[in-house]
């Protein structure tokens, strides 16, 4: 939502987050390369890179700059958003510029060093009783500057380039001798500061404004970074204690592990800086891009987002050295804030800058046929009258329309979700209503064991049979059902089994757990903290795996569909071949630490053994058969570790690999000989249905208006509107037989005024007229008529549906979006000696209301909400498709008419953008249409009101073209025809197959 002139709603720029002394070498590396993965890193239906449509830079960058090292052989060149190229001079790193005596010092360096010295003196001066709370506040203050302050600045720079705009408006980089600079002293200070730091290859006056703005931003970052780190270390010193009764051996172990973590953290920082250089360290890509060859290496091959994950190991090492839970808790808060910064600030910018959508597929290259769900034989027969012969009906992979995983996908109209929910409620009720006696504890442990055995061995056997003989699919084909039905039934059974397996383990752990009587005794609190962190690690790993695989890979889709996709290793699979081996099972060992139960330890050990066996004997053979030599042998983490191992350990590792291979071959031979004796087959106990829950909470905030209207007459302001009118057949709905006798006749109109009814989603042009001396910050907003009780003041936020009357008056770039060129000065038409300004603007896309109703435009004065003019009210409506009057095709079907009516509606929903909206019924939707869910939601809303059919937004993404969507509408109308008792078809159920 764009910022509105008078802030009525909460500002959305306050960002929590933190970055550990580095840039998103942090997030770019996972998105930029599809290079690494694991056994389950399968390529499901082609997944395009994520990002926004408009690349703000003239040359799109295919890979992330953060986490990439510049190629050798030439200097580094930068490129501004306007296309200006410039040489980037070498800059000193943060530590050397402050502490190295060889580096020149300037005023800003001395200020930073003085503040650091003041912090140290404060620690020495404060009494011991106040040091801890004082430095806790000081550290949280600097952390807030980091998270909220830097996060806000980067957010507005990424979205609207406001930092550069502020520099342009203030003219702080303009030479006072040549141009008008209202701050000549500030200009001299900044020039001296920057040129002192970069004595070579840098000219302050000739450098692009983007580069100079970035250099000034760097100085602010230096101050916050240094104060943040030093205040944390001083807080740890203030909290440091020697635990009472701690033995010498435990103390030595604590210090050894603590310094090892600090040393590892230091190596991560240094290696990351070696790779990303100052450009990425200081978020340079928020200001400009660089032209250079990029390679990944070092720490960026070991872990995802290393500056946000393993780059914080030192905080936990310092917590160990200080032997303080206070330091540990504040370290966890800082680490969580760092990930919040990644999610809220870094990732949106990464997606927008480095992942532009692929080129639009034009007619002649359409692949819309592969997105149609495969009908059964019976369905195909019934659909002969509506299905065009040119559209294929056999997809290579299923369309991901109605997913199973995730809270958002819970659908209680679907038997799988109902079964999973009821079974979990049943199990949790048993936990709550049964005592924790040894008998019930044993029963819950046995329940967890049973579900784990079924989940790993039972489902593993089913998948093995499916891989070798297609046994699961053959069972359903035998009864005349399709491969898609077999796939849906398998997904349901696997989802139910997986959920109950994890729920059973949680129930057993809860029964075996007892609350500690003293949280400060021994390592009780530490065990709980580490256990909770391991559980969180497993949850994060599961989300990362799902993000990489999707539902197709999560449910082992390549066991059921025989396409030969290309292996891609992205996300977490770039670093690990099988994250399920260790990270994916971290939570069970966290439960062991928390419960301290022998039974849970044995259950966790069984779980880990079975999970590894499943990977080794089910997944690996199938992947080798499917992908062969294309499988990667070593992941990025393994390669990095092997490079650092001494030769004796390398030899031992090779011998262990040989033993494991021979053991696997022996077990495989044993299972193969015993296979004829194993029982086969499973029963189906779930069915599918369709529906979705939708919620759209709306929050409205109000503000007061400051009168500032001296000399302005509202009579001198006016608004005229122009839009695409709805066809007369769609607007003649005022008299439909439900009115009284007098209201059924056509109402006599006593003026030339005609009701304005515009099509849903079409652009609306607004012509405004105002006095010549009107305020330059006037603006026009779009509102529902019923939302405003006052005609002289607007007491409702426009929610981004506004356009400025004059360009360049607002910092937000969205304010100018819609202004049409050609403002003109006109004279009064009634003979008065007054001049007026007249201009035009157009409301389209996100500036429209994507619903039906009666609306109006309001002209507001000077960034305020005082109304100077209101347009005539107009209605936005979706014309209903009249199947009785529609033209039938040669086969007597309505599908052609449905396509004809649907195409303009879909184009409107896609903002008529040539890169998204289709020009023909066969042309595929643009890539961005599948990335931003708003487009699909617009389309399903229009379909619901045009045809009376409600679809989920995922249907639009899966179909991918107007022809496919029209087929789905026709098929849905046919299925629902027995329940349609419209007056146009008489009083009996219609039977004519017109769809």
């Amino acid at each position: 939502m764009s910022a509105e002139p008078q802030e009525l709603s909460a500002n959305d720029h306050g960002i929590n987050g933190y970055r550990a002394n580095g840039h998103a070498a942090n997030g770019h590396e996972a998105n930029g390369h599809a290079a690494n993965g694991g056994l389950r890193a399968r390529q499901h239906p082609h997944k395009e890179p994520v990002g926004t449509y408009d690349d703000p830079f003239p040359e799109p960058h295919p890979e992330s700059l953060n986490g990439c090292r510049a190629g050798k052989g030439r200097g580094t060149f930068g490129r501004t958003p306007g296309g200006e190229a410039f040489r980037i001079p070498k800059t000193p790193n943060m530590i050397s510029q402050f502490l190295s005596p060889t580096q020149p010092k300037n005023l800003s360096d001395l200020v930073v060093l003085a503040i650091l010295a003041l912090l140290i003196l404060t620690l020495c001066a404060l009494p011991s009783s106040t040091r801890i709370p004082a430095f806790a506040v000081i550290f949280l203050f600097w952390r807030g500057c980091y998270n909220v302050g830097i996060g806000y600045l980067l957010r507005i720079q990424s979205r609207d380039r406001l930092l550069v705009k502020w520099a342009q408006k203030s003219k702080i980089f303009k030479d006072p001798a040549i141009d008008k600079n209202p701050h000549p002293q500030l200009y001299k200070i900044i020039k001296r500061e920057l040129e002192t730091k970069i004595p070579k290859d840098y000219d302050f006056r000739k450098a692009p404004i983007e580069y100079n703005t970035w250099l000034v931003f760097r100085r602010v970052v230096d101050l916050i970074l240094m104060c943040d780190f030093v205040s944390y270390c001083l807080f740890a010193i203030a909290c440091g204690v020697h635990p009472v009764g701690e033995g010498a051996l435990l103390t030595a172990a604590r210090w050894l592990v603590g310094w090892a973590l600090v040393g590892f953290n230091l190596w991560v920082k240094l290696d990351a800086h070696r790779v990303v250089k100052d450009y990425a360290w200081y978020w340079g890509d928020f200001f400009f891009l660089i032209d250079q060859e990029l390679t990944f290496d070092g720490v960026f091959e070991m872990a995802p987002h290393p500056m946000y994950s393993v780059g914080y190991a030192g905080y936990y090492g310092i917590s160990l050295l200080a032997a303080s839970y206070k330091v540990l808790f504040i370290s966890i808060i800082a680490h969580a804030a760092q990930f919040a910064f990644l999610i809220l600030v870094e990732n949106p910018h990464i997606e927008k800058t480095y992942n532009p959508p692929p080129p639009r597929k034009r007619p002649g290259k359409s692949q819309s046929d592969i997105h149609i769900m495969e009908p059964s034989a019976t369905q195909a027969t019934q659909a002969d009258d509506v299905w065009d012969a040119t559209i294929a009906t056999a997809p290579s992979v299923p369309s991901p329309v109605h997913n199973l995983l995730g809270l958002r996908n819970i659908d209680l109209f679907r038997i799988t979700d109902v079964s999973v929910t009821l079974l979990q409620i049943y199990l949790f009720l048993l936990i709550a209503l049964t005592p924790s006696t040894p008998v019930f504890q044993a029963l819950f442990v046995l329940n967890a064991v049973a579900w784990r055995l079924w989940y790993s061995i039972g489902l593993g056997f089913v998948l093995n049979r499916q891989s070798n003989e297609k046994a699961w699919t053959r069972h359903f084909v035998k009864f005349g059902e399709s491969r898609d039905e077999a796939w849906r039934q398998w997904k349901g059974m696997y989802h139910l089994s997986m959920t109950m397996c994890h729920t059973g383990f949680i129930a057993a752990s809860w029964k075996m757990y007892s609350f500690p009587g003293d949280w400060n005794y021994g390592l009780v609190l530490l065990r709980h903290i580490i256990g909770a962190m391991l559980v969180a690690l497993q949850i994060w790993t599961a989300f990362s795996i799902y993000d990489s695989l999707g539902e197709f890979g999560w449910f082992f889709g390549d066991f059921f569909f025989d396409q030969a996709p290309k292996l891609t290793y992205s996300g977490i699979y770039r670093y690990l071949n099988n994250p399920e081996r260790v990270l994916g099972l971290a939570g069970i060992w966290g439960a062991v630490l928390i419960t301290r139960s022998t039974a849970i330890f044995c259950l966790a050990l069984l779980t880990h053994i079975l999970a590894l066996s499943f990977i080794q004997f089910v997944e690996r053979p199938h992947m080798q058969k499917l992908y062969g030599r294309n499988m990667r042998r070593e992941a990025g983490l393994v390669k990095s570790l092997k490079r650092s191992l001494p030769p004796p350990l390398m030899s031992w590792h090779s011998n262990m690999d040989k033993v494991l291979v021979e053991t696997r071959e022996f077990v495989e031979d044993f299972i193969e000989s015993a296979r004829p004796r194993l029982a086969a087959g499973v029963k189906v106990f779930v069915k599918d249905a369709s529906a979705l829950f939708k919620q759209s909470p709306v929050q409205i905030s109000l503000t007061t208006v400051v009168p500032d209207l001296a000399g302005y007459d509202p009579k001198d302001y006016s608004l005229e509107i122009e839009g695409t009118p709805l066809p007369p057949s769609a607007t003649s709905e005022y008299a439909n037989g439900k009115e009284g006798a007098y209201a059924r006749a056509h109402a006599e109109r006593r003026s030339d005024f005609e009701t304005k009814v515009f099509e849903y989603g079409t652009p609306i042009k607004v012509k405004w007229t105002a006095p010549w001396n009107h305020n330059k910050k006037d603006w026009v907003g779009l509102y529902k008529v019923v939302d405003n009780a006052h005609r002289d003041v607007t007491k409702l936020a426009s929610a981004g549906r506004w356009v400025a009357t004059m360009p360049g008056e607002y910092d937000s770039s969205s304010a100018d979006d819609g202004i049409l060129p050609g403002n003109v000065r006109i004279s009064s038409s009634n003979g008065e000696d007054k001049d007026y300004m007249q201009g035009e603007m157009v409301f389209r896309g996100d500036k429209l209301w994507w619903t039906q109703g009666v609306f109006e435009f309001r002209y507001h004065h000077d960034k305020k909400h005082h109304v100077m003019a209101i347009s005539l009210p107009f209605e936005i409506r979706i014309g209903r498709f009249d199947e009785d009057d529609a033209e039938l095709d040669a086969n007597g079907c309505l599908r052609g008419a449905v396509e004809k009516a649907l195409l303009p509606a879909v184009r409107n929903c896609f903002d008529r953008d040539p890169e998204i909206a289709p020009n023909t019924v066969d042309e595929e939707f643009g890539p961005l249409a599948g990335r931003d869910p708003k487009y699909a939601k617009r389309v399903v809303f229009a379909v619901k009101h045009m045809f009376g059919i409600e679809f989920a937004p995922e249907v639009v993404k899966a179909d991918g073209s107007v022809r496919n969507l029209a087929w789905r509408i026709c098929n849905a109308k046919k299925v629902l025809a027995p329940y349609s008792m419209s007056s146009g078809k008489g009083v009996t159920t219609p039977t004519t197959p017109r769809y």
Side-chain angles (χ1 to χ4, degrees), residues 33-60:
H33 269 55
N36 306 305
L39 288 180
R40 293 182 63 188
R42 307 178 175 93
Q43 176 78 11
H44 60 96
H46 180 58
K47 189 175 182 180
E48 302 290 356
V50 180
T52 57
Y53 167 66
D54 291 324
D55 186 352
F57 299 97
E59 294 185 11

Side-chain angles (χ1 to χ4, degrees), residues 434-444 511-512:
T434 56
S436 296
T437 61
V439 174
F440 282 102
Q441 288 177 339
L443 289 176
F444 275 95
K511 275 299 179 182
M512 301 302 298

Side-chain angles (χ1 to χ4, degrees), residues 121 151 219 261 292 317 437 500 521 538 790 807 846 877:
L121 292 176
R219 306 308 294 164
L261 290 175
Q292 60 183 16
T437 61
M500 292 308 299
Y521 175 77
Q538 178 168 337
H790 303 277
D846 292 338
R877 191 193 303 172

